Amino acid sequence: MSGAAATIGRDVGRILEALGGLMIVSVLVTLAWGEYFALPALLVSAVVPLGIGRFLYRRYRSADAPGRLHGMIVAAAGWLFVGLFGSLPFLLVAWSVELGVPIVSTPQQTATLAAFTNPLNAIFESMSGFTGTGLTMTDDESALPRTLQWWRTFSEWVGGVGVIVLTTAILSRPGSGSLTLYESEARSEKIHPSVVSTVRTIWWIFILFTFGAILTLWLAGMPIWGAINHAMTGLSTGGFSITDNSIATYDSVAIDFALIPIMLLGSIAFPVHYLILQGDLRNFYSDLQTRWVFLYMSTGSALLWGLLYFAGPYETPFAALRYGLFQFVSAATCTGFQTAVDATNVAIGRWPSYAQLTVTFGMFVGGAAGSTVGGIKIIRGLTLAKGIRYQISEVFYPESAVRRLVINGRRLNDEASSREFMEAAIVFVLWVTFLVVGTFVLLLALPADDYTLPNVFFEVASAQGNVGLSSGITGPDSLPTIGKVTFLFHMWIGRLEIIPVLVMLRTVFQRGGLYA
């Protein structure tokens, strides 16, 4: 094996080891709830990635530290393999119930669990979980064993911060290699000079907020098991639920409004959280991204409220505020919790098209870079807007003028501003291109006349933005195989902001002689 392949194999092996460890930890939930039929499936699921990861690490432990190219390939391959191997608990538990487990009592098979006997559905659920998307292959989440409810939640909680961040925190070594891997997972800002110290601080903040969120939801009236799961998936802006109709199941104003600040916490960058926890409250308004998170959420929610009340389906201002505010924040933070479903009110898929497109725009932008959200990120949107204004205004200044582009307190010269503008523009163009291609594929794959163009556009944006809101398309039976494969790709590229996946695919095709 070449030096580059050894480096990639070693670091992917570390990620798989971490995944196996997460599954072993989850055994505690299986034992606590007495679901012994799931125990063999979960242990086998853990042994597979743990064994492969251990072999790769021991085989290539002396490989060189990763460079930028290696880091991107490790990130893309690592997230792909985590999605694949993370599907084993769904697949094996479903087959354990289907076939029966000797000695222990096995529950009766349900249609919801039986869907995971299809490997593609299991992979879809796993990829949706780890990427923090929240689109699901379940018809009724409440019918799942507690072991799988937990594994869905745990995958989103870990994926929200990042599997490479987790690996760096507990397994990796200090040095430039860790920094390269950290940056390859679409992160750049550090809390401390040391990357290992930074990621450990991120996890401490995340754990602290998780306990706070659990307490908040419990006090708002949510049962403790629901509070644990929804706090974890809300803070990680993942959006998996353990109930059939997401948050709408509770039909509680108190729970709806308790979840809004939890989702907002997940959309703010961790370095800002750290500074605020240190007592520097100025960051609420002095940090460009944090300021725009609140401004953007407020403006979008007000617009959606107006559309839903004055021209939409709700008869009272409070109903329009309740559902409009929650759904816009859920979309823009890329969480994907739903309160607007047919069981309790008007489902998003039956909202007016302009209201659906407003929510789609929220999913498109997302929250702050360095947080748990998806989308193109607020900082890129601001960089594009400022860069366009900078380029246009250039013609009004003499050639000898010395100008600076100011972004988040940084004064960039012409070269630096052009580089940042170009990077933001490339991600934006790629994002839109894949969004359009995915919409086209879904229009071809779905039955004609079943869904409108806004429905399909909404669903693809939800998958690519790692949001999880659904207009009703995604489901084990309603989404055809080509649609599931398409969404798997969208969730993957959306989590890594596209570039690392393209770099990995180019490398693979180049090695295969398919790319000159």
Side-chain angles (χ1 to χ4, degrees), residues 407-429:
I407 299 177
N408 208 16
R410 295 179 300 136
R411 294 175 60 82
L412 306 177
N413 59 26
D414 278 343
E415 182 181 353
S417 60
S418 296
R419 184 173 61 251
E420 296 220 4
F421 178 69
M422 184 65 71
E423 289 175 357
I426 289 172
V427 172
F428 176 82
V429 169

Side-chain angles (χ1 to χ4, degrees), residues 148-168:
L148 291 187
Q149 288 182 352
W150 166 258
W151 181 241
R152 295 168 81 244
T153 296
F154 200 31
S155 64
E156 280 201 333
W157 190 71
V158 171
V161 179
V163 292
I164 293 179
V165 167
L166 173 69
T167 307
T168 304

Side-chain angles (χ1 to χ4, degrees), residues 126-384:
S126 173
M127 184 65 85
S128 179
F130 279 105
T131 58
T133 305
L135 290 172
T136 182
M137 285 292 108
T138 64
D139 286 331
D140 180 5
E141 293 88 337
S142 63
L144 291 173
R146 299 297 175 108
T147 300
L148 291 187
Q149 288 182 352
W150 166 258
W151 181 241
R152 295 168 81 244
T153 296
F154 200 31
S155 64
E156 280 201 333
W157 190 71
V158 171
V161 179
V163 292
I164 293 179
V165 167
L166 173 69
T167 307
T168 304
I170 62 177
L171 295 175
S172 195
R173 69 276 175 206
S176 59
S178 296
L179 176 61
T180 302
L181 294 176
Y182 178 76
E183 292 177 337
S184 68
E185 207 173 40
R187 297 181 183 277
S188 57
E189 296 184 8
K190 292 194 296 181
I191 296 174
H192 306 294
S194 162
V195 171
V196 174
S197 178
T198 293
V199 296
R200 285 177 179 166
T201 300
I202 287 175
W203 274 105
W204 279 119
I205 294 172
F206 199 52
I207 291 170
L208 173 67
F209 284 174
T210 300
F211 280 107
I214 292 171
L215 180 62
T216 301
L217 292 179
W218 182 65
L219 291 175
M222 189 178 284
I224 187 64
W225 180 245
I228 292 171
N229 284 273
H230 291 120
M232 293 172 69
T233 58
L235 188 62
S236 62
T237 62
F240 269 156
S241 176
I242 61 168
T243 60
D244 188 18
N245 286 312
S246 189
I247 303 305
T249 301
Y250 300 103
D251 196 16
S252 164
V253 174
I255 290 174
D256 289 0
F257 282 94
L259 272 166
I260 289 173
I262 293 172
M263 294 187 286
L264 286 173
L265 278 175
S267 69
I268 295 173
F270 283 101
V272 174
H273 281 311
Y274 175 74
L275 293 172
I276 291 173
L277 289 173
Q278 293 290 312
D280 191 351
L281 301 180
R282 293 174 302 169
N283 282 274
F284 272 122
Y285 57 88
S286 63
D287 179 74
L288 181 68
Q289 289 199 93
T290 305
R291 187 167 67 242
W292 270 92
V293 162
F294 290 106
L295 183 61
Y296 167 59
M297 300 290 176
S298 302
T299 304
S301 299
L303 174 62
L304 189 58
W305 170 79
L307 294 174
L308 293 176
Y309 176 58
F310 292 107
Y314 297 108
E315 296 180 353
T316 67
F318 181 75
L321 173 67
R322 177 184 172 186
Y323 295 109
L325 172 62
F326 187 95
Q327 293 302 174
F328 190 83
V329 171
S330 179
T333 59
C334 301
T335 307
F337 282 145
Q338 286 194 236
T339 54
V341 299
D342 278 328
T344 55
N345 50 76
V346 182
I348 290 178
R350 295 196 294 114
W351 280 7
S353 57
Y354 40 79
Q356 289 187 48
L357 290 175
T358 302
V359 177
T360 303
F361 181 76
M363 295 190 284
F364 181 81
V365 176
S371 67
T372 65
V373 304
I376 66 168
K377 308 288 192 307
I378 283 177
I379 190 64
R380 281 209 186 83
L382 292 172
T383 301
L384 282 172

Side-chain angles (χ1 to χ4, degrees), residues 431-480:
W431 223 92
V432 173
T433 300
F434 282 107
L435 185 61
V436 171
V437 171
T439 302
F440 182 73
V441 171
L442 261 291
L443 285 172
L444 290 176
L446 292 169
D449 302 327
D450 279 10
Y451 302 100
T452 64
L453 176 60
N455 289 158
V456 176
F457 190 70
F458 182 97
E459 202 86 357
V460 177
S462 179
Q464 187 166 302
N466 302 137
V467 180
L469 289 174
S470 176
S471 59
I473 295 174
T474 301
D477 301 320
S478 57
L479 187 63

